[in-house]
Amino acid sequence: MDPYGFERPDGFDHATYNRFVSGYLGVLARRKQRWEQRLRPTEKNIGHSAKVKRYVRKGIPTEYRKLVWLVSSGANGKKLDNPGLYRSLLQSDERDEQAIDVIRTDVPRTFPENVHFRHPDEGLLPSLYNVLVAFVRYRPEIGYCQGLNYVAGVLLLVVKEEEPAFWLLTVLVDNVLPDYYSCGMRGLLVDTEVLSQLIRNRNLELHVHLEQIGVSWPVIFTKWFICLFVDFLPIDTVLRVWDCIFYEGSKIIMRTGLTIVLANADRLMRCEDIGDVVSCLRSYASSEAAVDCHAFLKSIFKVPKKINSKEISRLRKKYADRIPK
């Protein structure tokens, strides 16, 4: 079992993981020391700056992750601006039975391999149910979308409390993943095209090959985006990616997806169909390159080279104009 309560799957490569951990424990100790000595994280001094961004990219110590996520993302500000709203949403007598019925079905299916999500009346399952119900009432025009349970579940594993998890979820849906979960998932379709174009811009040969063998980009990217890589990358790596998502926004999602594809370019060029592609990427997800979260985070800022928000905004506008509203 890992530190977050996930059981190791059959065939888990303990040798690779232990090799990674033996070096990473020292990294964690050094990062914690530097955060404490040079940054001394409080709400006042973890705003947006080059220094804080550098520290976030190198990893937020577990002890400070909740605080940094809440403050840097704006979730804490939303919470302070809406005192008592979370509890009032839970106590609301709004009739939203259809969405709640789906939530009741999905919640017990969330992370069955995690000890914190096994018992319906204890652990994190009751909290997960509450967070999702509150979100449905907060954003009734969105309602409940499958995938939100995994995102909210990871938030609860990190912050341990319902209300902070709720406000972080609203930040992700409202600010980081616009229209991903809305009816038609238009934002998701747009970003699928954006990532495809970014791949084309950086490796035309690979892009052409994958399209020639019939790869459908939504088949590859949809679950990555909807679950923010939760169901693909190892949990330590997911949390390091989320550190940067909360601090820098959705361009980190593009960097992560682009790195995964480009890092496997040679192997993907040998694939003959979509099944080969899925197998190739799945094997990468359990490889040392993905397990070593510290090295992986370095790679997302090197492999794709320069990606800025202006480029992503331009491509989003281009493809949004082509997708019916």
Coordinates of all heavy atoms in Angstrom, one line a residue, residues 89 134-144 170 173-174 179:
L89 N -25.6 24.7 0.9 CA -25.8 23.8 -0.3 C -26.2 22.4 0.1 O -27.1 21.8 -0.4 CB -24.6 23.8 -1.2 CG -24.3 25.1 -1.9 CD1 -22.9 25.1 -2.5 CD2 -25.3 25.4 -3.0
A134 N -22.9 19.0 -3.2 CA -22.8 20.5 -3.0 C -22.5 21.1 -4.4 O -23.0 22.2 -4.8 CB -21.8 20.8 -2.0
F135 N -21.6 20.4 -5.1 CA -21.2 21.0 -6.4 C -22.3 21.0 -7.4 O -22.5 22.0 -8.1 CB -20.0 20.2 -7.0 CG -19.6 20.7 -8.4 CD1 -18.8 21.8 -8.5 CD2 -20.1 20.1 -9.5 CE1 -18.4 22.3 -9.7 CE2 -19.7 20.7 -10.8 CZ -18.9 21.8 -10.9
V136 N -23.1 20.0 -7.4 CA -24.3 19.9 -8.3 C -25.3 21.0 -8.0 O -25.8 21.7 -8.9 CB -25.0 18.5 -8.2 CG1 -26.4 18.6 -8.8 CG2 -24.2 17.4 -8.8
R137 N -25.4 21.4 -6.8 CA -26.3 22.5 -6.4 C -25.7 23.8 -6.6 O -26.4 24.8 -6.8 CB -26.7 22.3 -4.9 CG -27.6 21.1 -4.7 CD -27.9 20.8 -3.3 NE -28.8 19.6 -3.2 CZ -29.0 18.9 -2.0 NH1 -28.5 19.3 -0.9 NH2 -29.9 17.9 -2.0
Y138 N -24.4 23.9 -6.6 CA -23.7 25.1 -6.8 C -23.7 25.4 -8.3 O -23.8 26.6 -8.7 CB -22.2 25.0 -6.3 CG -21.3 26.2 -6.5 CD1 -21.5 27.4 -5.8 CD2 -20.3 26.2 -7.5 CE1 -20.7 28.5 -6.0 CE2 -19.5 27.2 -7.7 CZ -19.7 28.4 -6.9 OH -18.8 29.5 -7.1
R139 N -23.5 24.4 -9.1 CA -23.5 24.6 -10.6 C -24.5 23.7 -11.2 O -24.2 22.7 -11.9 CB -22.1 24.3 -11.1 CG -21.0 25.3 -10.7 CD -21.2 26.7 -11.3 NE -21.3 26.7 -12.7 CZ -20.3 26.8 -13.5 NH1 -19.1 26.9 -13.0 NH2 -20.4 26.8 -14.8
P140 N -25.8 24.0 -11.1 CA -26.9 23.1 -11.6 C -26.9 23.1 -13.1 O -27.4 22.1 -13.7 CB -28.2 23.8 -11.1 CG -27.8 25.2 -10.8 CD -26.4 25.1 -10.3
E141 N -26.3 24.1 -13.8 CA -26.3 24.1 -15.2 C -25.3 23.0 -15.7 O -25.4 22.6 -16.9 CB -25.9 25.4 -15.8 CG -24.5 25.9 -15.6 CD -24.2 26.5 -14.2 OE1 -25.1 26.3 -13.3 OE2 -23.2 27.1 -14.1
I142 N -24.4 22.6 -14.9 CA -23.4 21.5 -15.2 C -24.0 20.2 -14.7 O -24.0 19.2 -15.4 CB -22.0 21.8 -14.6 CG1 -21.4 23.0 -15.3 CG2 -21.1 20.6 -14.8 CD1 -20.0 23.4 -14.8
G143 N -24.4 20.2 -13.4 CA -24.9 19.0 -12.8 C -23.7 18.1 -12.5 O -22.6 18.6 -12.1
Y144 N -23.9 16.8 -12.6 CA -22.8 15.9 -12.3 C -22.3 15.2 -13.5 O -23.1 14.8 -14.4 CB -23.3 14.8 -11.3 CG -22.3 13.7 -11.1 CD1 -21.1 14.0 -10.3 CD2 -22.4 12.4 -11.6 CE1 -20.1 13.1 -10.1 CE2 -21.4 11.5 -11.4 CZ -20.3 11.8 -10.7 OH -19.3 10.9 -10.5
T170 N -14.4 23.7 -7.4 CA -15.1 24.7 -8.2 C -14.0 25.5 -9.0 O -14.3 26.0 -10.1 CB -15.8 25.7 -7.3 OG1 -14.9 26.4 -6.4 CG2 -16.9 25.0 -6.5
V173 N -13.1 23.5 -12.1 CA -14.2 23.4 -13.1 C -14.5 24.8 -13.8 O -14.7 24.9 -15.0 CB -15.5 22.9 -12.5 CG1 -16.7 23.0 -13.5 CG2 -15.3 21.4 -12.1
D174 N -14.4 25.8 -12.9 CA -14.7 27.2 -13.4 C -13.6 27.9 -14.1 O -13.8 28.6 -15.1 CB -15.2 28.1 -12.3 CG -16.5 27.7 -11.7 OD1 -17.2 26.9 -12.3 OD2 -16.8 28.1 -10.5
D179 N -15.8 24.5 -19.5 CA -16.7 23.7 -20.4 C -16.2 22.2 -20.6 O -16.7 21.6 -21.6 CB -16.7 24.4 -21.8 CG -17.6 25.6 -21.7 OD1 -18.5 25.7 -20.8 OD2 -17.4 26.5 -22.6

